[in-house]
Amino acid sequence: MTIDTTDFPDTDAATPETAPAPVDLDRAVEAILMIADEPQSLVSLATALRRPVKAVHEAINRLVADYDGVDGTVVRGFELREVGGGWRFFVRATYDDVVADFVTSENPSKLSQAALETLAVIAYKQPIPRSSIAAIRAVNVDSVVRTLAGRGLITELFTDSETGAINYGTTPLMLQQLGINSLDELPPISPLLADGSEGFDSDFR
């Protein structure tokens, strides 16, 4: 009996399905950071890309060098900086004024002097209840505290079990806005006050 093999595929001639090309790690990290609203840690990037943390860290270093113009590349108007426990794009300091002018013209709304002063008190004295903030500033701070909380710069840390007062503290967003990694990087308070002590503990002098 003769078997007709015309209906069987020629396995020798079959072309295996081509596997998709691996994603360029540097460009993948760049793409994620470009759309991220907050700093991304090495672990979160490695998890998202399913790559080792070491490989992601090396990719970050290559991107930093590329943006900074190392090895003859063009210095970009932005830079990749580690802040708030992760990595994020920032405008290069050279162009701060240009961007500030643009942002001001596009969105003139910014924190008032009262809000900035209240934020400073919270940053240096946290955790701190609203009554203590008001005592230091010698004015009612209810509306200002609501404004700062609404902008995500401060948050309720806890409620005092004895007094029922809500204690406030700053958020990672405030660190990001200031371009620092932790509150330890805030400048000493002494040069900012007449005697360096009014309303503040010695830890911050």
Side-chain angles (χ1 to χ4, degrees), residues 19-24:
V23 175
D24 183 301

Side-chain angles (χ1 to χ4, degrees), residues 3-203:
I3 299 177
D4 185 359
T5 60
T6 56
D7 293 332
F8 290 85
D10 184 352
T11 55
D12 292 334
T15 302
E17 183 179 348
T18 303
V23 175
D24 183 301
L25 181 58
D26 292 15
R27 301 287 78 82
V29 170
E30 183 179 56
I32 290 176
L33 293 178
M34 189 66 70
I35 57 90
D37 292 329
E38 56 187 33
Q40 299 298 307
S41 68
L42 292 175
V43 173
S44 65
L45 289 170
T47 300
L49 296 169
R50 299 180 182 177
R51 298 293 294 273
V53 172
K54 180 180 179 181
V56 172
H57 197 187
E58 292 172 348
I60 289 284
N61 289 336
R62 288 192 295 270
L63 290 174
V64 170
D66 181 23
Y67 302 149
D68 289 350
V70 177
D71 297 329
T73 56
V74 177
V75 178
R76 310 296 179 84
F78 56 87
E79 62 182 335
L80 193 53
R81 192 191 311 165
E82 186 177 15
V83 60
W87 291 86
R88 184 183 183 186
F89 283 115
F90 283 87
V91 173
R92 198 170 292 279
T94 306
Y95 304 102
D96 278 347
D97 292 341
V98 175
V99 174
D101 290 342
F102 171 76
V103 172
T104 300
S105 63
E106 291 293 310
N107 182 20
S109 176
K110 55 184 179 181
L111 291 178
S112 64
Q113 185 64 31
L116 290 173
E117 292 173 2
T118 300
L119 182 59
V121 170
I122 297 173
Y124 281 99
K125 288 283 291 179
Q126 62 185 303
I128 181 172
R130 190 175 308 189
S131 58
S132 295
I133 301 172
I136 292 174
R137 295 207 57 239
V139 295
N140 185 292
V141 296
D142 290 355
S143 62
V144 176
V145 168
R146 284 196 297 270
T147 296
L148 293 174
R151 294 203 178 189
L153 298 174
I154 65 171
T155 187
E156 298 179 2
L157 297 180
F158 62 89
T159 300
D160 190 288
S161 59
E162 295 184 2
T163 65
I166 297 174
N167 280 254
Y168 293 89
T170 53
T171 65
L173 177 60
M174 191 208 74
L175 297 180
Q176 296 172 33
Q177 296 294 331
L178 293 179
I180 60 178
N181 284 296
S182 71
L183 294 172
D184 293 334
E185 295 181 37
L186 287 172
I189 195 64
S190 296
L192 307 180
L193 297 176
D195 60 5
S197 61
E198 184 180 357
F200 290 87
D201 297 330
S202 58
D203 292 343

